[in-house]
């Protein structure tokens, strides 16, 4: 009964069709939002102050600390792919999330133990187990740190996609609520980031790391407990088997049939005859035009018709399986456009900070820490998400007639425009700063310029606005357009663009001195920014962003949306 049960194939905790009334919706998805908030707060509290712990407590050099932070962050960004693959292939999102969160909390407890070890190994009742407390503490901390990175990274795409699974795609009202879910999910992790970067970091620095790790561990425990206690109201999607195997089956089958002619009528291509799909936990996908080569994987031959129960999946695939691969290929240009967006965002943690260090940081008697301006971006997201959800969407809905106001690609495109404007504004601020340095005779002096750091505020604000549109839009796009049995992987790839953007930013910055520091010129970004032209770098990033927008619009206008039956 379509009015009583969901139409997307989801089941309840007992394995029966999920009830619309008693499972899913906000009562279930809100629990995943709480879990994401608690987990990200704990994860962010470690990442934001990790260098400080490594150098001040474990006595690492700046180089070793930077290396460990980079390696740990790389692990955290790769772990989502591992967790998503396991979830979509074998265990399902719920079980994978629980296992990953367990690894996460075990890692947090090891960090807590490393902070408590000096107390345990000192005094008249000291444990004799630790022959070398210093090296033992170091090993325990590193093992716990990487368990945290692995656990958090693996659960992230699973919890997000599992939360979105609580809304039925076949019901228009629930589909609209799902779009709101992505807004509030992004709101929650930014709220967690803000609390971690202010309250938890303050506790770590002033009350001690033992208290800081304890609070973070308690938050992770709370998040996992809330997530687990909601089991009876969740909707579950069954795992569909290895997506990599299905992709390669299409490639191999299409290659085998490369010399065969496609039928004029696409309905003659092979599809599973049952009501559902041959892929567990997935609806059937309708055939779409384009990328015809892969359609050859679904060409039926006479021997296939004579023995339909003995079909070799490496010789013939269903239309749904072929469409899965075609969807991934079509989504790639959209994902690629967001890599440059992530590279622009990365400037907030690098060149924006370097620019701020050369500006006047005092407002009256108060000195503003340069890196604290990054909180403007977070505060912008926290303030703008409710405004977007409660004000902008209803207003835009009146003009477009869409329940969500605008489509996901349109939302991404608006965010790309705001990120470009942020680079333009940063260039204008830097150009003005260099003019002041010139007029004050400070060009060859590595000193601050009498220009208030408050002028940087608008460029951080615009990046926050860009996040609300593009990052949330990309997450929603990848969930909606990913094949049903690959949605965790879709979430993982939407996170992977951050890592790719960081690498792209590093690559661009490494090329800048090669092409600009010639003939005695200090280049655009020298050690003394008063002698450089950081404004030209920002303008170059703005130009690349504009070109990126054109490329994105080209592919977005030609994108064929997924058609699930």
């Amino acid at each position: 009964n379509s009015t009583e049960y969901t139409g997307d194939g989801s089941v309840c905790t007992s394995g029966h069709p999920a009830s619309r009334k008693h499972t899913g919706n906000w009562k279930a998805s809100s629990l995943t939002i709480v879990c994401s908030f608690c987990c990200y707060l704990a994860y962010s509290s470690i990442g934001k102050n990790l260098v400080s712990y490594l150098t001040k407590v474990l006595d690492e050099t700046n180089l070793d600390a930077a290396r460990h932070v980079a390696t740990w962050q790389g692990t955290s960004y790769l772990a989502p792919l591992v967790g998503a693959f396991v979830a979509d292939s074998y265990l399902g999102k719920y079980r994978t999330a629980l296992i990953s969160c367990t690894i996460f909390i075990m890692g947090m407890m090891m960090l807590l133990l490393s902070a408590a070890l000096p107390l345990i190994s000192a005094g008249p009742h000291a444990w004799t187990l630790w022959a070398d407390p210093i090296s033992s503490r170091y090993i325990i901390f590193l093992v716990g740190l990487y368990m945290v990175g692995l656990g958090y990274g693996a659960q992230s795409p699973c919890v997000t996609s599992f939360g979105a699974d609580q809304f039925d795609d076949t019901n228009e009202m629930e589909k609209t609520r799902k779009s709101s879910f992505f807004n509030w999910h992004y709101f929650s992790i930014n709220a967690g980031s803000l609390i971690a970067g202010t309250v938890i970091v303050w506790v770590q620095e002033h009350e001690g790391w033992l208290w800081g790790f304890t609070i973070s561990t308690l938050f992770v425990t709370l998040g996992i407990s809330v997530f687990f206690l909601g089991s009876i109201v969740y909707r579950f999607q069954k795992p569909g088997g290895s997506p990599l195997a299905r992709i390669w089956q299409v490639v191999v089958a299409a290659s085998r049939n490369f010399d065969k002619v496609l039928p004029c009528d696409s309905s003659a291509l092979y599809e599973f005859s049952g009501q559902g799909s041959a892929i567990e936990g997935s609806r059937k996908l309708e055939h779409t035009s384009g990328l015809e080569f892969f359609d050859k994987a679904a060409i039926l031959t006479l021997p296939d018709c004579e023995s339909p129960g003995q079909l070799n999946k490496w010789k013939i695939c269903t239309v749904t399986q072929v469409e899965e691969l075609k969807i991934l290929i079509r989504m790639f240009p959209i994902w690629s456009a967001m890599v440059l967006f992530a590279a622009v965002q990365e400037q907030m943690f690098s060149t924006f900070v370097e620019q701020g260090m050369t500006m006047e940081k005092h407002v009256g008697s108060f000195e503003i820490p340069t890196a604290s301006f990054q909180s403007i971006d977070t505060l912008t997201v926290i303030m703008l998400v409710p405004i977007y959800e409660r004000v902008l969407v209803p207003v835009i809905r009146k003009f477009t007639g869409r329940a969500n106001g605008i489509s996901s690609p349109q939302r991404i495109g608006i965010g790309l425009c705001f990120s470009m404007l942020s680079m333009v504004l940063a260039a204008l601020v830097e150009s003005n700063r260099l003019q002041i340095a010139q007029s004050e005779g400070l060009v060859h002096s590595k000193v601050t310029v009498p220009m208030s750091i408050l002028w940087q505020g608008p460029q951080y604000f615009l990046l926050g606005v860009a996040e609300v549109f593009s990052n949330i839009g990309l997450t929603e796009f990848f969930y909606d357009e990913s094949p049903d049995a690959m949605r965790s992987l879709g979430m993982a790839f939407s996170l992977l663009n951050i890592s790719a953007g960081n690498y792209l930013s590093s690559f661009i910055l490494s090329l800048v001195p090669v092409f600009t520091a010639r003939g005695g010129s200090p280049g655009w970004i020298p050690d003394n920014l008063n002698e450089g032209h950081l404004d030209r770098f920002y303008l170059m990033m703005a130009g690349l962003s504009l070109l990126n927008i054109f490329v994105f619009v080209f592919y977005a206008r030609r994108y064929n949306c997924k058609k699930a039956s």
Side-chain angles (χ1 to χ4, degrees), residues 249-258 260-263 265-272 285 287 291-301 304-305 311-323 326:
Q249 284 168 357
V250 173
V251 174
V252 171
S255 300
R256 287 174 179 266
N257 298 335
F258 78 96
K260 295 180 180 178
V261 179
L262 286 168
D265 186 0
S266 61
S267 62
L269 296 174
Y270 173 64
E271 182 55 281
F272 185 67
L285 296 175
H287 177 266
L291 300 172
E292 286 84 1
F293 169 77
F294 297 107
D295 288 336
K296 294 185 176 184
I299 293 178
L300 271 171
T301 61
D304 296 329
C305 298
L311 296 179
N312 186 339
K313 293 182 179 180
W314 293 93
K315 292 183 178 180
I316 184 169
C317 304
T318 63
V319 169
T320 297
Q321 194 172 338
V322 172
E323 288 300 316
K326 290 164 74 171

Short mmCIF file of all heavy atoms in Angstrom, two decimals, residues 249-258 260-263 265-272 285 287 291-301 304-305 311-323 326:
data_model
loop_
_atom_site.label_atom_id
_atom_site.label_comp_id
_atom_site.label_asym_id
_atom_site.label_seq_id
_atom_site.Cartn_x
_atom_site.Cartn_y
_atom_site.Cartn_z
N GLN A 249 31.69 -4.82 -14.88
CA GLN A 249 30.86 -5.73 -15.67
C GLN A 249 30.29 -5.01 -16.89
O GLN A 249 30.25 -5.56 -18.00
CB GLN A 249 29.73 -6.29 -14.81
CG GLN A 249 30.19 -7.38 -13.85
CD GLN A 249 29.14 -7.74 -12.81
OE1 GLN A 249 28.06 -7.12 -12.76
NE2 GLN A 249 29.43 -8.72 -11.97
N VAL A 250 29.86 -3.76 -16.71
CA VAL A 250 29.33 -2.97 -17.83
C VAL A 250 30.42 -2.70 -18.85
O VAL A 250 30.22 -2.84 -20.07
CB VAL A 250 28.72 -1.65 -17.33
CG1 VAL A 250 28.32 -0.77 -18.50
CG2 VAL A 250 27.51 -1.92 -16.44
N VAL A 251 31.61 -2.31 -18.37
CA VAL A 251 32.72 -2.00 -19.28
C VAL A 251 33.12 -3.24 -20.09
O VAL A 251 33.30 -3.17 -21.32
CB VAL A 251 33.93 -1.46 -18.50
CG1 VAL A 251 35.13 -1.29 -19.41
CG2 VAL A 251 33.58 -0.14 -17.83
N VAL A 252 33.23 -4.38 -19.40
CA VAL A 252 33.63 -5.61 -20.08
C VAL A 252 32.56 -6.06 -21.07
O VAL A 252 32.87 -6.41 -22.23
CB VAL A 252 33.91 -6.72 -19.05
CG1 VAL A 252 34.11 -8.07 -19.75
CG2 VAL A 252 35.14 -6.37 -18.21
N ALA A 253 31.29 -6.03 -20.65
CA ALA A 253 30.21 -6.48 -21.54
C ALA A 253 30.08 -5.57 -22.76
O ALA A 253 29.87 -6.04 -23.89
CB ALA A 253 28.89 -6.51 -20.77
N ALA A 254 30.22 -4.26 -22.55
CA ALA A 254 30.15 -3.32 -23.69
C ALA A 254 31.31 -3.53 -24.64
O ALA A 254 31.15 -3.43 -25.87
CB ALA A 254 30.13 -1.88 -23.17
N SER A 255 32.49 -3.82 -24.10
CA SER A 255 33.65 -4.08 -24.95
C SER A 255 33.47 -5.36 -25.76
O SER A 255 33.88 -5.43 -26.93
CB SER A 255 34.91 -4.17 -24.09
OG SER A 255 35.13 -2.97 -23.37
N ARG A 256 32.87 -6.36 -25.15
CA ARG A 256 32.61 -7.61 -25.88
C ARG A 256 31.65 -7.38 -27.05
O ARG A 256 31.76 -8.02 -28.09
CB ARG A 256 31.99 -8.65 -24.93
CG ARG A 256 32.94 -9.26 -23.91
CD ARG A 256 32.15 -10.14 -22.95
NE ARG A 256 33.00 -10.79 -21.96
CZ ARG A 256 33.53 -12.00 -22.06
NH1 ARG A 256 33.31 -12.71 -23.15
NH2 ARG A 256 34.28 -12.50 -21.11
N ASN A 257 30.71 -6.45 -26.88
CA ASN A 257 29.68 -6.21 -27.89
C ASN A 257 29.94 -4.96 -28.74
O ASN A 257 29.01 -4.40 -29.32
CB ASN A 257 28.31 -6.07 -27.21
CG ASN A 257 27.90 -7.32 -26.47
OD1 ASN A 257 28.34 -8.42 -26.80
ND2 ASN A 257 27.04 -7.16 -25.47
N PHE A 258 31.20 -4.51 -28.78
CA PHE A 258 31.49 -3.25 -29.46
C PHE A 258 31.12 -3.28 -30.95
O PHE A 258 30.83 -2.25 -31.55
CB PHE A 258 32.96 -2.89 -29.29
CG PHE A 258 33.89 -3.65 -30.19
CD1 PHE A 258 34.33 -3.10 -31.39
CD2 PHE A 258 34.34 -4.92 -29.86
CE1 PHE A 258 35.19 -3.79 -32.23
CE2 PHE A 258 35.20 -5.62 -30.69
CZ PHE A 258 35.63 -5.06 -31.88
N LYS A 260 28.54 -4.89 -32.24
CA LYS A 260 27.11 -5.12 -32.43
C LYS A 260 26.36 -3.80 -32.58
O LYS A 260 26.80 -2.76 -32.07
CB LYS A 260 26.53 -5.92 -31.27
CG LYS A 260 27.10 -7.34 -31.17
CD LYS A 260 26.51 -8.11 -30.01
CE LYS A 260 27.11 -9.52 -29.93
NZ LYS A 260 26.59 -10.29 -28.77
N VAL A 261 25.24 -3.84 -33.27
CA VAL A 261 24.44 -2.65 -33.54
C VAL A 261 23.34 -2.53 -32.50
O VAL A 261 22.64 -3.50 -32.19
CB VAL A 261 23.82 -2.70 -34.95
CG1 VAL A 261 22.98 -1.45 -35.21
CG2 VAL A 261 24.92 -2.86 -36.00
N LEU A 262 23.19 -1.33 -31.94
CA LEU A 262 22.15 -1.10 -30.94
C LEU A 262 20.77 -1.14 -31.60
O LEU A 262 20.60 -0.66 -32.72
CB LEU A 262 22.34 0.26 -30.26
CG LEU A 262 23.49 0.37 -29.25
CD1 LEU A 262 23.73 1.83 -28.89
CD2 LEU A 262 23.15 -0.43 -28.00
N PRO A 263 19.78 -1.67 -30.92
CA PRO A 263 18.42 -1.66 -31.48
C PRO A 263 17.86 -0.24 -31.52
O PRO A 263 18.23 0.60 -30.69
CB PRO A 263 17.63 -2.54 -30.50
CG PRO A 263 18.40 -2.48 -29.22
CD PRO A 263 19.84 -2.36 -29.62
N ASP A 265 14.88 0.65 -30.83
CA ASP A 265 14.00 0.83 -29.68
C ASP A 265 14.76 0.43 -28.41
O ASP A 265 15.18 -0.72 -28.27
CB ASP A 265 12.74 -0.02 -29.85
CG ASP A 265 11.72 0.23 -28.75
OD1 ASP A 265 12.01 1.06 -27.86
OD2 ASP A 265 10.65 -0.42 -28.77
N SER A 266 14.94 1.37 -27.49
CA SER A 266 15.70 1.08 -26.27
C SER A 266 15.01 0.06 -25.39
O SER A 266 15.65 -0.55 -24.53
CB SER A 266 15.94 2.37 -25.48
OG SER A 266 14.70 2.95 -25.08
N SER A 267 13.71 -0.13 -25.57
CA SER A 267 13.00 -1.12 -24.76
C SER A 267 13.44 -2.55 -25.10
O SER A 267 13.15 -3.49 -24.35
CB SER A 267 11.49 -1.00 -24.96
OG SER A 267 11.13 -1.25 -26.31
N ALA A 268 14.16 -2.72 -26.22
CA ALA A 268 14.66 -4.04 -26.59
C ALA A 268 15.93 -4.40 -25.82
O ALA A 268 16.38 -5.55 -25.87
CB ALA A 268 14.94 -4.09 -28.09
N LEU A 269 16.51 -3.45 -25.11
CA LEU A 269 17.68 -3.73 -24.29
C LEU A 269 17.26 -4.53 -23.05
O LEU A 269 16.12 -4.44 -22.59
CB LEU A 269 18.36 -2.43 -23.88
CG LEU A 269 18.94 -1.58 -25.01
CD1 LEU A 269 19.44 -0.24 -24.49
CD2 LEU A 269 20.06 -2.32 -25.73
N TYR A 270 18.19 -5.27 -22.51
CA TYR A 270 17.88 -6.20 -21.42
C TYR A 270 17.62 -5.45 -20.11
O TYR A 270 18.38 -4.57 -19.72
CB TYR A 270 19.02 -7.19 -21.22
CG TYR A 270 18.84 -8.07 -20.01
CD1 TYR A 270 17.77 -8.96 -19.93
CD2 TYR A 270 19.73 -8.00 -18.94
CE1 TYR A 270 17.60 -9.77 -18.82
CE2 TYR A 270 19.56 -8.81 -17.82
CZ TYR A 270 18.49 -9.68 -17.76
OH TYR A 270 18.32 -10.47 -16.66
N GLU A 271 16.54 -5.83 -19.43
CA GLU A 271 16.23 -5.33 -18.10
C GLU A 271 15.59 -6.44 -17.30
O GLU A 271 14.93 -7.34 -17.85
CB GLU A 271 15.29 -4.12 -18.18
CG GLU A 271 14.94 -3.48 -16.84
CD GLU A 271 16.15 -3.06 -16.01
OE1 GLU A 271 16.76 -3.96 -15.38
OE2 GLU A 271 16.50 -1.87 -16.02
N PHE A 272 15.80 -6.41 -16.01
CA PHE A 272 15.24 -7.41 -15.11
C PHE A 272 13.71 -7.38 -15.21
O PHE A 272 13.10 -6.31 -15.21
CB PHE A 272 15.68 -7.12 -13.68
CG PHE A 272 15.27 -8.14 -12.67
CD1 PHE A 272 15.79 -9.42 -12.71
CD2 PHE A 272 14.36 -7.82 -11.67
CE1 PHE A 272 15.42 -10.37 -11.78
CE2 PHE A 272 13.98 -8.77 -10.73
CZ PHE A 272 14.51 -10.04 -10.78
N LEU A 285 16.28 2.00 -13.17
CA LEU A 285 16.58 3.28 -13.80
C LEU A 285 16.15 3.23 -15.26
O LEU A 285 16.42 2.24 -15.96
CB LEU A 285 18.08 3.59 -13.71
CG LEU A 285 18.65 3.78 -12.30
CD1 LEU A 285 20.17 3.95 -12.35
CD2 LEU A 285 18.02 4.98 -11.61
N HIS A 287 16.12 4.16 -19.22
CA HIS A 287 17.18 4.39 -20.20
C HIS A 287 17.24 5.86 -20.59
O HIS A 287 16.22 6.53 -20.75
CB HIS A 287 16.94 3.54 -21.45
CG HIS A 287 17.95 3.75 -22.53
ND1 HIS A 287 17.75 4.65 -23.58
CD2 HIS A 287 19.18 3.20 -22.74
CE1 HIS A 287 18.82 4.63 -24.35
NE2 HIS A 287 19.69 3.76 -23.87
N LEU A 291 26.11 8.48 -24.43
CA LEU A 291 27.04 7.44 -24.01
C LEU A 291 26.58 6.07 -24.50
O LEU A 291 26.53 5.08 -23.75
CB LEU A 291 27.18 7.44 -22.47
CG LEU A 291 27.70 8.74 -21.83
CD1 LEU A 291 27.61 8.68 -20.31
CD2 LEU A 291 29.15 8.99 -22.25
N GLU A 292 26.21 6.01 -25.79
CA GLU A 292 25.62 4.81 -26.36
C GLU A 292 26.53 3.59 -26.32
O GLU A 292 26.06 2.45 -26.34
CB GLU A 292 25.19 5.06 -27.81
CG GLU A 292 23.95 5.92 -27.98
CD GLU A 292 24.28 7.39 -27.94
OE1 GLU A 292 25.48 7.73 -27.79
OE2 GLU A 292 23.35 8.22 -28.04
N PHE A 293 27.83 3.82 -26.25
CA PHE A 293 28.75 2.68 -26.24
C PHE A 293 28.41 1.72 -25.09
O PHE A 293 28.42 0.50 -25.25
CB PHE A 293 30.20 3.16 -26.12
CG PHE A 293 31.18 2.05 -25.84
CD1 PHE A 293 31.58 1.19 -26.85
CD2 PHE A 293 31.68 1.85 -24.55
CE1 PHE A 293 32.48 0.15 -26.58
CE2 PHE A 293 32.58 0.82 -24.29
CZ PHE A 293 32.98 -0.02 -25.31
N PHE A 294 28.11 2.27 -23.92
CA PHE A 294 27.83 1.42 -22.76
C PHE A 294 26.48 0.73 -22.87
O PHE A 294 26.26 -0.29 -22.21
CB PHE A 294 27.92 2.26 -21.48
CG PHE A 294 29.28 2.84 -21.23
CD1 PHE A 294 29.51 4.20 -21.40
CD2 PHE A 294 30.35 2.04 -20.87
CE1 PHE A 294 30.77 4.74 -21.19
CE2 PHE A 294 31.61 2.56 -20.65
CZ PHE A 294 31.82 3.92 -20.82
N ASP A 295 25.58 1.27 -23.69
CA ASP A 295 24.29 0.59 -23.91
C ASP A 295 24.49 -0.79 -24.52
O ASP A 295 23.63 -1.67 -24.38
CB ASP A 295 23.38 1.43 -24.81
CG ASP A 295 22.86 2.67 -24.10
OD1 ASP A 295 22.79 2.65 -22.86
OD2 ASP A 295 22.51 3.65 -24.79
N LYS A 296 25.62 -0.98 -25.22
CA LYS A 296 25.87 -2.27 -25.86
C LYS A 296 26.03 -3.39 -24.84
O LYS A 296 25.93 -4.57 -25.19
CB LYS A 296 27.11 -2.18 -26.75
CG LYS A 296 26.93 -1.24 -27.94
CD LYS A 296 28.13 -1.27 -28.87
CE LYS A 296 27.88 -0.40 -30.10
NZ LYS A 296 28.97 -0.48 -31.08
N ALA A 297 26.27 -3.03 -23.58
CA ALA A 297 26.38 -4.06 -22.54
C ALA A 297 25.03 -4.71 -22.27
O ALA A 297 24.97 -5.79 -21.67
CB ALA A 297 26.93 -3.44 -21.25
N ALA A 298 23.93 -4.07 -22.70
CA ALA A 298 22.58 -4.59 -22.44
C ALA A 298 21.94 -5.18 -23.70
O ALA A 298 20.72 -5.40 -23.72
CB ALA A 298 21.70 -3.49 -21.86
N ILE A 299 22.72 -5.41 -24.75
CA ILE A 299 22.16 -5.98 -25.98
C ILE A 299 21.84 -7.47 -25.77
O ILE A 299 22.70 -8.25 -25.34
CB ILE A 299 23.14 -5.82 -27.16
CG1 ILE A 299 23.30 -4.34 -27.51
CG2 ILE A 299 22.66 -6.60 -28.37
CD1 ILE A 299 24.29 -4.09 -28.64
N LEU A 300 20.61 -7.85 -26.04
CA LEU A 300 20.18 -9.24 -25.92
C LEU A 300 20.47 -9.99 -27.21
O LEU A 300 20.22 -9.48 -28.30
CB LEU A 300 18.68 -9.30 -25.62
CG LEU A 300 18.25 -9.28 -24.15
CD1 LEU A 300 16.74 -9.12 -24.05
CD2 LEU A 300 18.69 -10.55 -23.43
N THR A 301 20.98 -11.20 -27.09
CA THR A 301 21.18 -12.08 -28.25
C THR A 301 20.22 -13.27 -28.15
O THR A 301 19.59 -13.49 -27.10
CB THR A 301 22.63 -12.59 -28.30
OG1 THR A 301 22.90 -13.35 -27.11
CG2 THR A 301 23.60 -11.42 -28.40
N ASP A 304 20.83 -15.64 -25.30
CA ASP A 304 20.43 -15.06 -24.03
C ASP A 304 18.93 -15.23 -23.80
O ASP A 304 18.48 -15.49 -22.67
CB ASP A 304 20.78 -13.57 -23.99
CG ASP A 304 22.27 -13.33 -24.05
OD1 ASP A 304 23.02 -14.18 -23.56
OD2 ASP A 304 22.69 -12.28 -24.60
N CYS A 305 18.14 -15.08 -24.88
CA CYS A 305 16.69 -15.23 -24.76
C CYS A 305 16.28 -16.66 -24.47
O CYS A 305 15.29 -16.92 -23.79
CB CYS A 305 16.01 -14.74 -26.04
SG CYS A 305 16.29 -12.97 -26.39
N LEU A 311 22.18 -16.11 -17.34
CA LEU A 311 22.91 -15.01 -17.97
C LEU A 311 24.22 -14.73 -17.23
O LEU A 311 24.25 -14.68 -15.99
CB LEU A 311 22.05 -13.75 -18.00
CG LEU A 311 20.76 -13.83 -18.84
CD1 LEU A 311 19.99 -12.52 -18.75
CD2 LEU A 311 21.10 -14.13 -20.30
N ASN A 312 25.27 -14.51 -17.99
CA ASN A 312 26.57 -14.16 -17.44
C ASN A 312 26.65 -12.64 -17.30
O ASN A 312 26.57 -11.92 -18.29
CB ASN A 312 27.68 -14.67 -18.36
CG ASN A 312 29.06 -14.47 -17.77
OD1 ASN A 312 29.26 -13.64 -16.89
ND2 ASN A 312 30.02 -15.23 -18.27
N LYS A 313 26.82 -12.15 -16.07
CA LYS A 313 26.82 -10.71 -15.83
C LYS A 313 28.01 -10.01 -16.48
O LYS A 313 28.01 -8.77 -16.61
CB LYS A 313 26.80 -10.42 -14.33
CG LYS A 313 25.51 -10.85 -13.65
CD LYS A 313 25.54 -10.51 -12.17
CE LYS A 313 24.23 -10.91 -11.50
NZ LYS A 313 24.23 -10.58 -10.05
N TRP A 314 29.03 -10.76 -16.88
CA TRP A 314 30.18 -10.17 -17.55
C TRP A 314 29.98 -10.13 -19.06
O TRP A 314 30.84 -9.61 -19.78
CB TRP A 314 31.45 -10.94 -17.20
CG TRP A 314 31.81 -10.80 -15.75
CD1 TRP A 314 31.46 -11.64 -14.73
CD2 TRP A 314 32.58 -9.75 -15.15
NE1 TRP A 314 31.96 -11.18 -13.54
CE2 TRP A 314 32.66 -10.02 -13.77
CE3 TRP A 314 33.22 -8.61 -15.65
CZ2 TRP A 314 33.34 -9.19 -12.88
CZ3 TRP A 314 33.90 -7.79 -14.77
CH2 TRP A 314 33.96 -8.08 -13.41
N LYS A 315 28.84 -10.66 -19.51
CA LYS A 315 28.53 -10.63 -20.94
C LYS A 315 27.29 -9.79 -21.25
O LYS A 315 27.17 -9.25 -22.34
CB LYS A 315 28.31 -12.05 -21.47
CG LYS A 315 29.58 -12.90 -21.48
CD LYS A 315 29.32 -14.28 -22.08
CE LYS A 315 30.59 -15.12 -22.14
NZ LYS A 315 30.35 -16.47 -22.73
N ILE A 316 26.38 -9.71 -20.31
CA ILE A 316 25.18 -8.90 -20.50
C ILE A 316 24.76 -8.29 -19.17
O ILE A 316 24.79 -8.95 -18.13
CB ILE A 316 24.02 -9.73 -21.11
CG1 ILE A 316 22.82 -8.83 -21.38
CG2 ILE A 316 23.65 -10.90 -20.21
CD1 ILE A 316 21.75 -9.50 -22.20
N CYS A 317 24.41 -7.02 -19.20
CA CYS A 317 24.03 -6.28 -18.00
C CYS A 317 22.64 -5.68 -18.20
O CYS A 317 22.18 -5.49 -19.32
CB CYS A 317 25.03 -5.16 -17.70
SG CYS A 317 26.74 -5.72 -17.54
N THR A 318 21.99 -5.34 -17.10
CA THR A 318 20.68 -4.72 -17.18
C THR A 318 20.82 -3.24 -17.54
O THR A 318 21.90 -2.64 -17.37
CB THR A 318 19.93 -4.83 -15.85
OG1 THR A 318 20.66 -4.12 -14.84
CG2 THR A 318 19.77 -6.28 -15.43
N VAL A 319 19.74 -2.63 -18.02
CA VAL A 319 19.74 -1.20 -18.33
C VAL A 319 20.05 -0.39 -17.07
O VAL A 319 20.79 0.59 -17.12
CB VAL A 319 18.37 -0.79 -18.92
CG1 VAL A 319 18.25 0.73 -19.01
CG2 VAL A 319 18.18 -1.41 -20.30
N THR A 320 19.50 -0.83 -15.93
CA THR A 320 19.77 -0.13 -14.66
C THR A 320 21.25 -0.12 -14.35
O THR A 320 21.81 0.91 -13.93
CB THR A 320 18.99 -0.81 -13.51
OG1 THR A 320 17.59 -0.69 -13.76
CG2 THR A 320 19.33 -0.17 -12.18
N GLN A 321 21.91 -1.25 -14.56
CA GLN A 321 23.35 -1.33 -14.29
C GLN A 321 24.13 -0.43 -15.23
O GLN A 321 25.09 0.24 -14.81
CB GLN A 321 23.80 -2.78 -14.44
CG GLN A 321 25.17 -3.08 -13.87
CD GLN A 321 25.48 -4.56 -13.88
OE1 GLN A 321 24.57 -5.40 -13.92
NE2 GLN A 321 26.76 -4.90 -13.84
N VAL A 322 23.73 -0.37 -16.50
CA VAL A 322 24.38 0.52 -17.47
C VAL A 322 24.17 1.97 -17.08
O VAL A 322 25.10 2.79 -17.14
CB VAL A 322 23.85 0.25 -18.89
CG1 VAL A 322 24.37 1.30 -19.86
CG2 VAL A 322 24.21 -1.15 -19.35
N GLU A 323 22.95 2.30 -16.65
CA GLU A 323 22.64 3.68 -16.28
C GLU A 323 23.44 4.12 -15.06
O GLU A 323 23.76 5.30 -14.91
CB GLU A 323 21.15 3.84 -16.03
CG GLU A 323 20.30 3.81 -17.29
CD GLU A 323 20.67 4.92 -18.26
OE1 GLU A 323 20.85 6.08 -17.82
OE2 GLU A 323 20.78 4.63 -19.47
N LYS A 326 26.66 5.37 -16.43
CA LYS A 326 26.44 6.61 -17.18
C LYS A 326 26.21 7.79 -16.24
O LYS A 326 26.66 8.91 -16.49
CB LYS A 326 25.26 6.44 -18.15
CG LYS A 326 25.58 5.49 -19.31
CD LYS A 326 24.35 5.01 -20.03
CE LYS A 326 23.74 6.08 -20.89
NZ LYS A 326 22.65 5.53 -21.75
#
